[in-house]
Amino acid sequence: NNSAYPVYNVRVNDLLPQNTTFVEGAGFSASGANSVSATIAGPLTASGTLGSSTSLTLTLQLSNPYPFTSVTNVAVVTPFTSVSNTDG
């Protein structure tokens, strides 16, 4: 968070790589075909240009045999809509 305000309820959507299956991840749940999502309740504190951060971990199962030589995983952060933990 590199804004001037703490943020709450940040949504993370992880688009699972081909030939993988979601196994587990604290706070993650299925959110569609080949994707999982989690919400970071916050607050992610305001800290100017340095920003604050958090880490999320999930475990995937590779298909057997796995047809590729590497795995690339992409997650998308949905812009927050609130700077208050009481807003919807």
Side-chain angles (χ1 to χ4, degrees):
N1 176 22
N2 59 5
S3 74
Y5 304 98
V7 295
Y8 298 82
N9 305 315
V10 176
R11 184 91 168 154
V12 177
N13 189 44
D14 195 311
L15 309 171
L16 302 179
Q18 282 185 308
N19 297 57
T20 64
T21 303
F22 174 69
V23 176
E24 66 181 350
F28 280 96
S29 60
S31 60
N34 300 321
S35 68
V36 295
S37 61
T39 299
I40 303 168
L44 291 177
T45 58
S47 53
T49 58
L50 295 178
S52 67
S53 63
T54 190
S55 296
L56 301 173
T57 301
L58 57 89
T59 303
L60 302 176
Q61 174 74 43
L62 301 178
S63 63
N64 186 10
Y66 188 69
F68 306 107
T69 57
S70 65
V71 177
T72 301
N73 189 33
V74 176
V76 177
V77 176
T78 302
F80 67 92
T81 57
S82 173
V83 294
S84 168
N85 64 350
T86 58
D87 292 345

